[in-house]
Amino acid sequence: MKVWTVANQKGGVGKTTTTVSLGGLLSERGQRVLLVDLDPHASLTYYFNIDTEALELTAYDLFKLGHQASGEQLMQAVVPSGFANLDVLPSSMALATLDRKLGSQGGMGLVLRKMLRDVTDVYDVVIIDVPPVLGVLMVNALAACERVLIPVQTEFLALKGLERMMKTLQLIQQSRGQENPYTIIPTLYDKRTNASMQAYDELVKQYGKSVWSGMIPIDTKFRDASHAHQPPSIHEPRARGVFAYQSLLTYLLQFKGRDE
């Protein structure tokens, strides 16, 4: 089972779009996909028109169980997206209180990893969307995955945000004694502007081969797909942004998962 975490400590860089786009493409290929929403803003959950207020269980309830949480309980909280092979573990606003209420408890950083190990026979790929804040949720997401996907808007302020994310990765790696491989994904690229081109060049200059060689363009079809509550590849399969994510997915699939 492959587990990818989509993370950046700057908002508005395309994290949820990346999560949904990759998940939709994988599910269309017959892969069994779980999208995990760990962001209290619940953008991924709302993307699929899931009403968190109407749910008995969300990701927050699983974290409240701490290390007693199991894969069986995770499956009880999972909600079908409405599209074949694609499920969602929904978020809720209560996740915002997790650090204050439970962050000091021992073992809280490995709750998600433990649950996902119990569902390796259920899903082929898990993609985790996390908030842009270093806390117990991001620690869980980084501990659970074998590759971190870091969407970065191709503008210079976003590059500063990336520096914070890289420092976070270093801190987590030092504390765990284990490397987190990562891929930097240039997003919101506008080939008509010098700013986008210069920011892309700076990304490659600073991070070299860690930067995916393609880029995700600005594409209004992403917004249309969101309004329709559909993965972009289903709503507008011939959109240029969808072609870009297809290329990204081909690149990412070359990396082996933990159990392969």
Side-chain angles (χ1 to χ4, degrees):
M1 182 175 75
K2 295 181 183 296
V3 183
W4 298 334
T5 286
V6 183
N8 196 323
Q9 287 184 259
K10 183 181 185 305
V13 296
K15 287 194 298 91
T16 300
T17 298
T18 296
T19 303
V20 174
S21 295
L22 292 175
L25 287 167
L26 284 162
S27 67
E28 288 182 72
R29 295 185 183 193
Q31 298 289 293
R32 300 164 299 172
V33 181
L34 175 64
L35 305 182
V36 177
D37 190 356
L38 294 189
D39 192 331
H41 289 109
S43 297
L44 175 59
T45 302
Y46 294 136
Y47 190 107
F48 290 100
N49 205 26
I50 298 169
D51 182 5
T52 59
E53 300 300 320
L55 299 174
E56 291 187 16
L57 294 172
T58 67
Y60 175 71
D61 298 289
L62 300 177
F63 278 102
K64 278 202 304 183
L65 295 171
H67 20 141
Q68 296 181 349
S70 67
E72 181 179 352
Q73 289 157 326
L74 181 147
M75 292 306 299
Q76 291 173 1
V78 162
V79 177
S81 70
F83 302 93
N85 303 315
L86 191 62
D87 291 340
V88 178
L89 176 61
S91 174
S92 72
M93 289 182 63
L95 279 175
T97 68
L98 200 62
D99 279 286
R100 177 169 50 84
K101 290 182 177 179
L102 304 171
S104 61
Q105 290 187 14
M108 280 303 293
L110 298 174
V111 172
L112 181 61
R113 181 175 180 174
K114 177 178 177 293
M115 286 190 291
L116 292 181
R117 281 179 170 174
D118 291 343
V119 297
T120 54
D121 293 334
V122 182
Y123 295 106
D124 299 304
V125 184
V126 177
I127 309 177
I128 308 166
D129 188 7
V130 296
V133 178
L134 176 56
V136 69
L137 294 170
M138 184 174 286
V139 169
N140 265 271
L142 294 179
C145 75
E146 77 257 0
R147 179 158 294 270
V148 185
L149 312 184
I150 309 175
V152 180
Q153 184 179 356
T154 45
E155 57 97 13
F156 281 101
L157 285 178
L159 300 191
K160 289 294 182 184
L162 176 59
E163 291 178 10
R164 292 196 300 274
M165 186 66 218
M166 300 311 296
K167 288 177 181 177
T168 294
L169 277 181
Q170 290 174 354
L171 286 172
I172 300 295
Q173 288 171 8
Q174 289 168 5
S175 65
R176 292 174 57 206
Q178 182 178 333
E179 186 179 357
N180 258 125
Y182 61 91
T183 297
I184 296 170
I185 304 166
T187 60
L188 297 167
Y189 183 79
D190 188 347
K191 64 181 180 182
R192 299 168 299 180
T193 67
N194 287 330
S196 266
M197 290 187 285
Q198 290 170 0
Y200 176 81
D201 289 344
E202 188 63 25
L203 262 182
V204 175
K205 179 181 176 182
Q206 288 189 35
Y207 299 100
K209 292 182 179 180
S210 296
V211 181
W212 172 52
S213 60
M215 62 278 293
I216 305 299
I218 289 178
D219 191 342
T220 58
K221 301 299 183 183
F222 289 140
R223 184 175 60 233
D224 296 341
S226 175
H227 289 165
H229 305 292
Q230 296 179 336
S233 57
I234 291 176
H235 185 265
E236 196 68 44
R238 301 198 61 79
R240 58 180 180 163
V242 171
F243 287 135
Y245 275 113
Q246 287 173 340
S247 177
L248 173 62
L249 181 59
T250 298
Y251 171 78
L252 293 174
L253 288 175
Q254 72 178 304
F255 301 107
K256 297 296 185 182
R258 281 201 184 106
D259 304 314
E260 295 176 272

